[in-house]
Amino acid sequence: MSEIKNVLVSGGLGYIGSHTICQLVQHNYNPIIVDNLSNSCLEVLNRLEIINNRKFKFYQLDCTNLEELEIVFKENKIDAIIHFAAYKAVGESVKEPLKYYFNNLISYLNIMMYLEKYKVKNFVFSSSATVYGIPNHVPLFETDPVQKATNPYGSTKIMIEEMLEDYSKVHKDINIAILRYFNPIGAHPSGLIGEQPNGIPNNLMPYITQVAIGKLEKLTIFGNDYPTSDGTCIRDYVHVMDLAEGHVLTLNKFQKENTGLVIYNLGTGKGTSVLELVNAYMQANNIKIPYVFGPRRQGDVVSNYASTKKAETELGFKAKYTIYDCCKDSNHFQQLNPNGFVKINK
Ligand code: NAD
Ligand code: UDP
């Protein structure tokens, strides 16, 4: 229950981090950005400065480097940490488990060491709906069991959630929020920042946007024989600006009360099928997306979407953007940035 001003945002130049920076600024928080550029680039910082019409304190460093990381804490009075920095590609994590365990777990542990040493009282962790595994019902509630992960990426999220629970039991004065994201899509309305994966995208929305600009020929929909109304899988697609807002609302709550450890789903509470998303994209942007049906993707969950009741009641979180807004904003970003984050002048 203390004032929060300076917020260390690890992974702050990444997709969700960069949008969260904008929302933090809107709500008068002062973000201090840490990123090693392993999945982002300096141009994102340039664009954040254009959008927000201000400079940011930025540390290009790796959170796994204990010595370098301490500089941030020595040079700034950190009031809260939002920890985004992690690798996130499920398939790659299966092929290179050590890389994922090392980066995600060591980054987390180092950050927590300094949280304790420098008496930071507020911590927000980026978790994922993946911790629910194969759901036996939808919507998913925060009280639903966490299931054994099917890949090392998911394991790192579950392990860190468990470590946070252990930590919280003996440090009840620290506010800790585990935010379980569903499927973030969309981009900042300016079109200056958005999702920019390396290589051929694995996720649905960036694949669609690259088909939309002709970079990829057609979308393959993985399976149309699932037990859903149109046979394709269902997810909870949430606009990244809404998701970013969820972090601000969490910090607002931290300022008002001592929460201990809290867990929130961040989604829309609505399921959308792959076909519905593709059709919404075509309608919203008046673009044709050629697609074919292919075999199921191994390990895919048929349907998952959030119950957002808890986040709504306790945080005041409610997704404002529709699926059409998401499709428009994703497309806008991709059309403006067909070749990624090319340098633009201020
Ligand atoms: P992202 O890859 O765009 O952003 C992560 C950022 O962290 C990148 O800028 C990368 O350069 C940086 N980074 C990685 N390792 C680092 C390290 N050791 N030190 C410093 N910086 C490092 O990913 P995102 O989509 O913005 O995801 C952010 C967080 O949210 C991640 O923890 C991810 O697991 C989690 N998450 C993402 C999704 C999703 O679909 N995007 C869903 C659920 C959870
Ligand atoms: N999907 C698809 N074609 C693609 C990429 C994804 O049909 O090229 C489907 C995928 O099978 C899943 C949905 O889109 O049903 C969302 O996939 P994504 O990887 O974006 O999210 P996740 O499955 O990790 O929730």
Side-chain angles (χ1 to χ4, degrees):
M1 277 205 293
S2 53
E3 202 206 346
I4 299 176
K5 188 75 196 152
N6 293 336
V7 184
L8 189 168
V9 185
S10 78
L13 297 187
Y15 175 44
I16 306 170
S18 56
H19 292 80
T20 302
I21 302 282
C22 298
Q23 295 288 36
L24 287 170
V25 171
Q26 287 295 309
H27 292 81
N28 294 318
Y29 291 103
N30 179 40
I32 293 163
I33 307 172
V34 168
D35 204 297
N36 66 354
L37 307 184
S38 58
N39 197 32
S40 53
C41 61
L42 266 185
E43 176 58 14
V44 175
L45 181 63
N46 180 36
R47 293 177 180 211
L48 283 175
E49 292 181 347
I50 295 171
I51 293 170
N52 295 288
N53 194 23
R54 56 160 282 185
K55 292 260 170 213
F56 291 99
K57 231 179 189 183
F58 169 60
Y59 293 85
Q60 184 179 335
L61 62 84
D62 196 314
C63 296
T64 62
N65 185 323
L66 197 56
E67 271 172 30
E68 281 188 15
L69 184 61
E70 187 161 24
I71 300 169
V72 185
F73 291 84
K74 280 189 175 148
E75 290 186 357
N76 304 280
K77 189 197 161 293
I78 303 294
D79 303 312
I81 300 169
I82 305 181
H83 183 49
F84 292 108
Y87 294 150
K88 63 165 181 179
V90 172
E92 188 186 49
S93 82
V94 175
K95 290 192 195 113
E96 296 183 75
L98 267 188
K99 176 175 165 181
Y100 274 68
Y101 287 125
F102 183 83
N103 191 52
N104 295 6
L105 300 181
I106 304 298
S107 292
Y108 161 77
L109 288 169
N110 286 351
I111 289 260
M112 288 303 280
M113 297 254 287
Y114 292 132
L115 171 134
E116 190 163 297
K117 182 169 173 185
Y118 289 89
K119 302 195 178 355
V120 181
K121 298 289 182 206
N122 303 286
F123 183 77
V124 182
F125 175 62
S126 298
S127 192
S128 164
T130 192
V131 302
Y132 294 115
I134 300 167
N136 44 31
H137 63 241
V138 276
L140 287 154
F141 294 90
E142 289 84 348
T143 45
D144 284 332
V146 165
Q147 295 193 35
K148 190 173 160 36
T150 53
N151 58 75
Y153 165 73
S155 294
T156 66
K157 295 297 177 198
I158 293 171
M159 285 181 203
I160 293 173
E161 286 203 4
E162 283 174 358
M163 286 192 262
L164 284 169
E165 275 168 24
D166 290 339
Y167 190 79
S168 179
K169 279 182 198 145
V170 284
H171 295 92
K172 294 197 183 343
D173 59 320
I174 313 285
N175 294 326
I176 297 174
I178 291 173
L179 302 182
R180 293 179 179 157
Y181 312 153
F182 280 69
N183 289 57
I185 58 171
H188 191 271
S190 65
L192 289 177
I193 54 170
E195 187 170 18
Q196 186 55 56
N198 286 325
I200 297 176
N202 296 309
N203 297 111
L204 180 59
M205 183 55 98
Y207 204 102
I208 295 175
T209 63
Q210 293 201 15
V211 173
I213 57 165
K215 211 168 185 174
L216 295 168
E217 189 198 335
K218 59 177 183 301
L219 171 73
T220 301
I221 295 181
F222 301 142
N224 63 340
D225 56 353
Y226 284 101
T228 61
S229 60
D230 63 21
T232 64
C233 290
I234 290 173
R235 296 287 182 276
D236 186 340
Y237 297 99
V238 55
H239 197 293
V240 67
M241 293 298 286
D242 279 327
L243 195 67
E245 173 90 9
H247 296 73
V248 170
L249 294 171
T250 303
L251 296 187
N252 293 350
K253 185 178 174 72
F254 284 173
Q255 293 204 79
K256 283 191 233 127
E257 57 189 284
N258 184 209
T259 62
L261 184 137
V262 284
I263 303 180
Y264 297 111
N265 287 339
L266 294 184
T268 63
K270 284 191 215 82
T272 302
S273 75
V274 176
L275 261 181
E276 282 168 347
L277 188 72
V278 174
N279 286 328
Y281 195 95
M282 294 200 272
Q283 271 181 27
N285 298 301
N286 203 15
I287 290 177
K288 190 152 174 41
I289 303 294
Y291 64 83
V292 292
F293 293 113
R296 291 180 175 195
R297 184 171 70 177
Q298 210 200 339
D300 256 345
V301 167
V302 182
S303 175
N304 82 350
Y305 55 93
S307 163
T308 51
K309 281 210 179 83
K310 190 176 176 208
E312 188 174 342
T313 314
E314 296 185 17
L315 292 178
F317 173 82
K318 197 161 174 53
K320 299 184 191 81
Y321 291 81
T322 66
I323 208 79
Y324 287 91
D325 300 328
C326 291
C327 292
K328 273 199 165 140
D329 290 339
S330 286
N331 187 62
H332 184 215
F333 170 73
Q334 187 69 86
Q335 300 284 346
L336 286 183
N337 302 277
N339 300 314
F341 288 112
V342 176
K343 175 132 185 64
I344 52 173
N345 291 323
K346 282 186 182 147

PDB file of all heavy atoms in Angstrom, residues 33-55:
ATOM      1  N   ILE A  33      12.721   0.696 -18.835  1.00  0.00           N
ATOM      2  CA  ILE A  33      12.668  -0.474 -19.719  1.00  0.00           C
ATOM      3  C   ILE A  33      13.967  -1.270 -19.691  1.00  0.00           C
ATOM      4  O   ILE A  33      15.053  -0.695 -19.793  1.00  0.00           O
ATOM      5  CB  ILE A  33      12.382  -0.022 -21.179  1.00  0.00           C
ATOM      6  CG1 ILE A  33      11.118   0.860 -21.226  1.00  0.00           C
ATOM      7  CG2 ILE A  33      12.244  -1.233 -22.099  1.00  0.00           C
ATOM      8  CD1 ILE A  33      10.871   1.513 -22.591  1.00  0.00           C
ATOM      9  N   VAL A  34      13.829  -2.582 -19.574  1.00  0.00           N
ATOM     10  CA  VAL A  34      14.968  -3.496 -19.688  1.00  0.00           C
ATOM     11  C   VAL A  34      14.643  -4.493 -20.798  1.00  0.00           C
ATOM     12  O   VAL A  34      13.551  -5.072 -20.806  1.00  0.00           O
ATOM     13  CB  VAL A  34      15.196  -4.261 -18.359  1.00  0.00           C
ATOM     14  CG1 VAL A  34      16.182  -5.412 -18.557  1.00  0.00           C
ATOM     15  CG2 VAL A  34      15.686  -3.324 -17.271  1.00  0.00           C
ATOM     16  N   ASP A  35      15.576  -4.670 -21.734  1.00  0.00           N
ATOM     17  CA  ASP A  35      15.359  -5.667 -22.791  1.00  0.00           C
ATOM     18  C   ASP A  35      16.723  -6.028 -23.380  1.00  0.00           C
ATOM     19  O   ASP A  35      17.587  -5.159 -23.523  1.00  0.00           O
ATOM     20  CB  ASP A  35      14.440  -5.109 -23.895  1.00  0.00           C
ATOM     21  CG  ASP A  35      13.721  -6.198 -24.673  1.00  0.00           C
ATOM     22  OD1 ASP A  35      14.415  -7.020 -25.332  1.00  0.00           O
ATOM     23  OD2 ASP A  35      12.478  -6.249 -24.625  1.00  0.00           O
ATOM     24  N   ASN A  36      16.907  -7.272 -23.731  1.00  0.00           N
ATOM     25  CA  ASN A  36      18.188  -7.659 -24.351  1.00  0.00           C
ATOM     26  C   ASN A  36      18.083  -7.727 -25.874  1.00  0.00           C
ATOM     27  O   ASN A  36      19.021  -8.153 -26.539  1.00  0.00           O
ATOM     28  CB  ASN A  36      18.688  -9.004 -23.797  1.00  0.00           C
ATOM     29  CG  ASN A  36      17.790 -10.166 -24.185  1.00  0.00           C
ATOM     30  OD1 ASN A  36      16.729  -9.967 -24.772  1.00  0.00           O
ATOM     31  ND2 ASN A  36      18.198 -11.377 -23.856  1.00  0.00           N
ATOM     32  N   LEU A  37      16.939  -7.339 -26.418  1.00  0.00           N
ATOM     33  CA  LEU A  37      16.692  -7.303 -27.869  1.00  0.00           C
ATOM     34  C   LEU A  37      16.750  -8.690 -28.520  1.00  0.00           C
ATOM     35  O   LEU A  37      16.908  -8.788 -29.727  1.00  0.00           O
ATOM     36  CB  LEU A  37      17.663  -6.339 -28.588  1.00  0.00           C
ATOM     37  CG  LEU A  37      17.744  -4.908 -28.057  1.00  0.00           C
ATOM     38  CD1 LEU A  37      18.669  -4.060 -28.951  1.00  0.00           C
ATOM     39  CD2 LEU A  37      16.374  -4.248 -27.987  1.00  0.00           C
ATOM     40  N   SER A  38      16.606  -9.742 -27.721  1.00  0.00           N
ATOM     41  CA  SER A  38      16.654 -11.083 -28.320  1.00  0.00           C
ATOM     42  C   SER A  38      15.429 -11.319 -29.208  1.00  0.00           C
ATOM     43  O   SER A  38      15.495 -12.103 -30.147  1.00  0.00           O
ATOM     44  CB  SER A  38      16.747 -12.165 -27.237  1.00  0.00           C
ATOM     45  OG  SER A  38      15.647 -12.084 -26.361  1.00  0.00           O
ATOM     46  N   ASN A  39      14.316 -10.657 -28.899  1.00  0.00           N
ATOM     47  CA  ASN A  39      13.134 -10.796 -29.765  1.00  0.00           C
ATOM     48  C   ASN A  39      12.473  -9.437 -29.993  1.00  0.00           C
ATOM     49  O   ASN A  39      11.248  -9.319 -30.020  1.00  0.00           O
ATOM     50  CB  ASN A  39      12.139 -11.787 -29.152  1.00  0.00           C
ATOM     51  CG  ASN A  39      11.129 -12.285 -30.176  1.00  0.00           C
ATOM     52  OD1 ASN A  39      11.443 -12.401 -31.362  1.00  0.00           O
ATOM     53  ND2 ASN A  39       9.907 -12.546 -29.740  1.00  0.00           N
ATOM     54  N   SER A  40      13.291  -8.416 -30.122  1.00  0.00           N
ATOM     55  CA  SER A  40      12.765  -7.065 -30.361  1.00  0.00           C
ATOM     56  C   SER A  40      13.907  -6.249 -30.964  1.00  0.00           C
ATOM     57  O   SER A  40      14.971  -6.788 -31.261  1.00  0.00           O
ATOM     58  CB  SER A  40      12.288  -6.437 -29.049  1.00  0.00           C
ATOM     59  OG  SER A  40      13.301  -6.502 -28.084  1.00  0.00           O
ATOM     60  N   CYS A  41      13.689  -4.964 -31.139  1.00  0.00           N
ATOM     61  CA  CYS A  41      14.759  -4.147 -31.701  1.00  0.00           C
ATOM     62  C   CYS A  41      14.640  -2.721 -31.186  1.00  0.00           C
ATOM     63  O   CYS A  41      13.580  -2.313 -30.681  1.00  0.00           O
ATOM     64  CB  CYS A  41      14.724  -4.189 -33.228  1.00  0.00           C
ATOM     65  SG  CYS A  41      13.203  -3.557 -33.897  1.00  0.00           S
ATOM     66  N   LEU A  42      15.749  -1.973 -31.361  1.00  0.00           N
ATOM     67  CA  LEU A  42      15.808  -0.617 -30.808  1.00  0.00           C
ATOM     68  C   LEU A  42      14.775   0.313 -31.425  1.00  0.00           C
ATOM     69  O   LEU A  42      14.359   1.290 -30.813  1.00  0.00           O
ATOM     70  CB  LEU A  42      17.202  -0.037 -31.053  1.00  0.00           C
ATOM     71  CG  LEU A  42      18.209  -0.198 -29.922  1.00  0.00           C
ATOM     72  CD1 LEU A  42      19.486   0.531 -30.280  1.00  0.00           C
ATOM     73  CD2 LEU A  42      17.637   0.323 -28.605  1.00  0.00           C
ATOM     74  N   GLU A  43      14.361  -0.006 -32.651  1.00  0.00           N
ATOM     75  CA  GLU A  43      13.377   0.838 -33.316  1.00  0.00           C
ATOM     76  C   GLU A  43      12.063   0.896 -32.516  1.00  0.00           C
ATOM     77  O   GLU A  43      11.349   1.899 -32.574  1.00  0.00           O
ATOM     78  CB  GLU A  43      13.152   0.343 -34.756  1.00  0.00           C
ATOM     79  CG  GLU A  43      12.090   1.064 -35.547  1.00  0.00           C
ATOM     80  CD  GLU A  43      12.304   2.577 -35.715  1.00  0.00           C
ATOM     81  OE1 GLU A  43      13.392   3.100 -35.449  1.00  0.00           O
ATOM     82  OE2 GLU A  43      11.327   3.242 -36.112  1.00  0.00           O
ATOM     83  N   VAL A  44      11.776  -0.145 -31.763  1.00  0.00           N
ATOM     84  CA  VAL A  44      10.553  -0.122 -30.941  1.00  0.00           C
ATOM     85  C   VAL A  44      10.660   1.012 -29.913  1.00  0.00           C
ATOM     86  O   VAL A  44       9.684   1.735 -29.654  1.00  0.00           O
ATOM     87  CB  VAL A  44      10.302  -1.487 -30.248  1.00  0.00           C
ATOM     88  CG1 VAL A  44       9.102  -1.413 -29.314  1.00  0.00           C
ATOM     89  CG2 VAL A  44      10.097  -2.585 -31.292  1.00  0.00           C
ATOM     90  N   LEU A  45      11.858   1.196 -29.382  1.00  0.00           N
ATOM     91  CA  LEU A  45      12.059   2.285 -28.416  1.00  0.00           C
ATOM     92  C   LEU A  45      11.815   3.636 -29.100  1.00  0.00           C
ATOM     93  O   LEU A  45      11.121   4.507 -28.561  1.00  0.00           O
ATOM     94  CB  LEU A  45      13.484   2.213 -27.850  1.00  0.00           C
ATOM     95  CG  LEU A  45      13.839   3.275 -26.807  1.00  0.00           C
ATOM     96  CD1 LEU A  45      12.977   3.133 -25.558  1.00  0.00           C
ATOM     97  CD2 LEU A  45      15.321   3.173 -26.429  1.00  0.00           C
ATOM     98  N   ASN A  46      12.363   3.779 -30.292  1.00  0.00           N
ATOM     99  CA  ASN A  46      12.161   5.007 -31.070  1.00  0.00           C
ATOM    100  C   ASN A  46      10.659   5.278 -31.243  1.00  0.00           C
ATOM    101  O   ASN A  46      10.174   6.391 -31.038  1.00  0.00           O
ATOM    102  CB  ASN A  46      12.851   4.831 -32.438  1.00  0.00           C
ATOM    103  CG  ASN A  46      12.708   6.043 -33.335  1.00  0.00           C
ATOM    104  OD1 ASN A  46      12.729   7.181 -32.865  1.00  0.00           O
ATOM    105  ND2 ASN A  46      12.539   5.797 -34.627  1.00  0.00           N
ATOM    106  N   ARG A  47       9.933   4.236 -31.581  1.00  0.00           N
ATOM    107  CA  ARG A  47       8.490   4.400 -31.824  1.00  0.00           C
ATOM    108  C   ARG A  47       7.726   4.675 -30.536  1.00  0.00           C
ATOM    109  O   ARG A  47       6.758   5.450 -30.539  1.00  0.00           O
ATOM    110  CB  ARG A  47       7.955   3.182 -32.558  1.00  0.00           C
ATOM    111  CG  ARG A  47       8.560   3.141 -33.970  1.00  0.00           C
ATOM    112  CD  ARG A  47       8.149   1.939 -34.726  1.00  0.00           C
ATOM    113  NE  ARG A  47       8.770   1.968 -36.049  1.00  0.00           N
ATOM    114  CZ  ARG A  47       8.215   1.447 -37.120  1.00  0.00           C
ATOM    115  NH1 ARG A  47       7.035   0.869 -37.038  1.00  0.00           N
ATOM    116  NH2 ARG A  47       8.845   1.487 -38.283  1.00  0.00           N
ATOM    117  N   LEU A  48       8.167   4.064 -29.451  1.00  0.00           N
ATOM    118  CA  LEU A  48       7.524   4.357 -28.160  1.00  0.00           C
ATOM    119  C   LEU A  48       7.718   5.830 -27.812  1.00  0.00           C
ATOM    120  O   LEU A  48       6.819   6.476 -27.265  1.00  0.00           O
ATOM    121  CB  LEU A  48       8.118   3.473 -27.051  1.00  0.00           C
ATOM    122  CG  LEU A  48       7.644   2.027 -27.021  1.00  0.00           C
ATOM    123  CD1 LEU A  48       8.385   1.227 -25.957  1.00  0.00           C
ATOM    124  CD2 LEU A  48       6.131   1.952 -26.772  1.00  0.00           C
ATOM    125  N   GLU A  49       8.888   6.358 -28.176  1.00  0.00           N
ATOM    126  CA  GLU A  49       9.151   7.770 -27.883  1.00  0.00           C
ATOM    127  C   GLU A  49       8.293   8.677 -28.770  1.00  0.00           C
ATOM    128  O   GLU A  49       7.816   9.720 -28.323  1.00  0.00           O
ATOM    129  CB  GLU A  49      10.653   8.048 -28.029  1.00  0.00           C
ATOM    130  CG  GLU A  49      11.410   7.325 -26.913  1.00  0.00           C
ATOM    131  CD  GLU A  49      12.925   7.511 -26.904  1.00  0.00           C
ATOM    132  OE1 GLU A  49      13.499   8.011 -27.908  1.00  0.00           O
ATOM    133  OE2 GLU A  49      13.527   7.122 -25.890  1.00  0.00           O
ATOM    134  N   ILE A  50       8.047   8.234 -29.996  1.00  0.00           N
ATOM    135  CA  ILE A  50       7.177   9.018 -30.888  1.00  0.00           C
ATOM    136  C   ILE A  50       5.739   8.996 -30.359  1.00  0.00           C
ATOM    137  O   ILE A  50       5.086  10.035 -30.207  1.00  0.00           O
ATOM    138  CB  ILE A  50       7.224   8.474 -32.338  1.00  0.00           C
ATOM    139  CG1 ILE A  50       8.626   8.666 -32.926  1.00  0.00           C
ATOM    140  CG2 ILE A  50       6.164   9.147 -33.210  1.00  0.00           C
ATOM    141  CD1 ILE A  50       8.860   7.989 -34.267  1.00  0.00           C
ATOM    142  N   ILE A  51       5.245   7.806 -30.054  1.00  0.00           N
ATOM    143  CA  ILE A  51       3.847   7.678 -29.602  1.00  0.00           C
ATOM    144  C   ILE A  51       3.619   8.477 -28.324  1.00  0.00           C
ATOM    145  O   ILE A  51       2.610   9.175 -28.176  1.00  0.00           O
ATOM    146  CB  ILE A  51       3.487   6.188 -29.331  1.00  0.00           C
ATOM    147  CG1 ILE A  51       3.498   5.379 -30.620  1.00  0.00           C
ATOM    148  CG2 ILE A  51       2.128   6.065 -28.629  1.00  0.00           C
ATOM    149  CD1 ILE A  51       3.399   3.865 -30.415  1.00  0.00           C
ATOM    150  N   ASN A  52       4.565   8.375 -27.407  1.00  0.00           N
ATOM    151  CA  ASN A  52       4.347   8.961 -26.080  1.00  0.00           C
ATOM    152  C   ASN A  52       4.956  10.350 -25.925  1.00  0.00           C
ATOM    153  O   ASN A  52       4.818  10.970 -24.865  1.00  0.00           O
ATOM    154  CB  ASN A  52       4.905   8.012 -25.008  1.00  0.00           C
ATOM    155  CG  ASN A  52       4.136   6.704 -24.986  1.00  0.00           C
ATOM    156  OD1 ASN A  52       3.000   6.658 -24.541  1.00  0.00           O
ATOM    157  ND2 ASN A  52       4.747   5.642 -25.503  1.00  0.00           N
ATOM    158  N   ASN A  53       5.624  10.788 -26.985  1.00  0.00           N
ATOM    159  CA  ASN A  53       6.211  12.119 -26.997  1.00  0.00           C
ATOM    160  C   ASN A  53       7.086  12.372 -25.763  1.00  0.00           C
ATOM    161  O   ASN A  53       6.981  13.408 -25.104  1.00  0.00           O
ATOM    162  CB  ASN A  53       5.089  13.165 -27.084  1.00  0.00           C
ATOM    163  CG  ASN A  53       5.626  14.522 -27.446  1.00  0.00           C
ATOM    164  OD1 ASN A  53       6.712  14.614 -28.031  1.00  0.00           O
ATOM    165  ND2 ASN A  53       4.912  15.576 -27.070  1.00  0.00           N
ATOM    166  N   ARG A  54       7.909  11.396 -25.440  1.00  0.00           N
ATOM    167  CA  ARG A  54       8.853  11.538 -24.325  1.00  0.00           C
ATOM    168  C   ARG A  54       9.981  10.521 -24.491  1.00  0.00           C
ATOM    169  O   ARG A  54       9.899   9.615 -25.304  1.00  0.00           O
ATOM    170  CB  ARG A  54       8.162  11.344 -22.970  1.00  0.00           C
ATOM    171  CG  ARG A  54       7.437  10.038 -22.822  1.00  0.00           C
ATOM    172  CD  ARG A  54       7.184   9.667 -21.371  1.00  0.00           C
ATOM    173  NE  ARG A  54       8.399   9.130 -20.741  1.00  0.00           N
ATOM    174  CZ  ARG A  54       8.435   8.642 -19.512  1.00  0.00           C
ATOM    175  NH1 ARG A  54       7.343   8.643 -18.764  1.00  0.00           N
ATOM    176  NH2 ARG A  54       9.550   8.143 -19.022  1.00  0.00           N
ATOM    177  N   LYS A  55      11.024  10.700 -23.707  1.00  0.00           N
ATOM    178  CA  LYS A  55      12.146   9.754 -23.703  1.00  0.00           C
ATOM    179  C   LYS A  55      11.907   8.708 -22.611  1.00  0.00           C
ATOM    180  O   LYS A  55      11.165   8.958 -21.664  1.00  0.00           O
ATOM    181  CB  LYS A  55      13.440  10.506 -23.381  1.00  0.00           C
ATOM    182  CG  LYS A  55      13.858  11.457 -24.473  1.00  0.00           C
ATOM    183  CD  LYS A  55      14.931  10.796 -25.303  1.00  0.00           C
ATOM    184  CE  LYS A  55      15.240  11.586 -26.559  1.00  0.00           C
ATOM    185  NZ  LYS A  55      15.609  10.713 -27.676  1.00  0.00           N
TER     186      LYS A  55
END
